[in-house]
Amino acid sequence: SRRNWLFAGSEEGGRTAATILSVIETCKRLGINPVAYLKDVLTRLPNAKTSQIDDFLPDRWLALQSH
């Protein structure tokens, strides 16, 4: 897909796509369903306190799901 990323729309769009894909691949590496993770995080994030932001990182999110 290297060629496809030449047409991300803009430099900022390319950075955004890279960030999202990085989060998705991290989820996969940790055995997290990326759709379930993103649905939960994007639902809860608007009401979260600044001090809670680290809890939304995939590895910490997974640990909190086990409790």
Side-chain angles (χ1 to χ4, degrees), residues 4-5 7-8 24 28 40 45-46 50:
N4 292 335
W5 300 120
F7 306 102
I24 290 171
K28 289 179 182 179
D40 181 57
L45 194 59
T50 305

Side-chain angles (χ1 to χ4, degrees), residues 1-24:
S1 72
R2 183 187 298 174
R3 254 184 214 193
N4 292 335
W5 300 120
L6 292 173
F7 306 102
S10 67
E11 189 172 328
E12 185 177 340
R15 275 192 230 107
T16 301
T19 300
I20 292 169
L21 289 172
S22 178
V23 169
I24 290 171

Side-chain angles (χ1 to χ4, degrees), residues 39-54:
K39 181 179 178 182
D40 181 57
V41 168
L42 293 175
T43 300
R44 295 185 312 135
L45 194 59
N47 298 319
K49 296 178 183 174
T50 305
S51 62
Q52 297 172 311
I53 297 299
D54 286 348

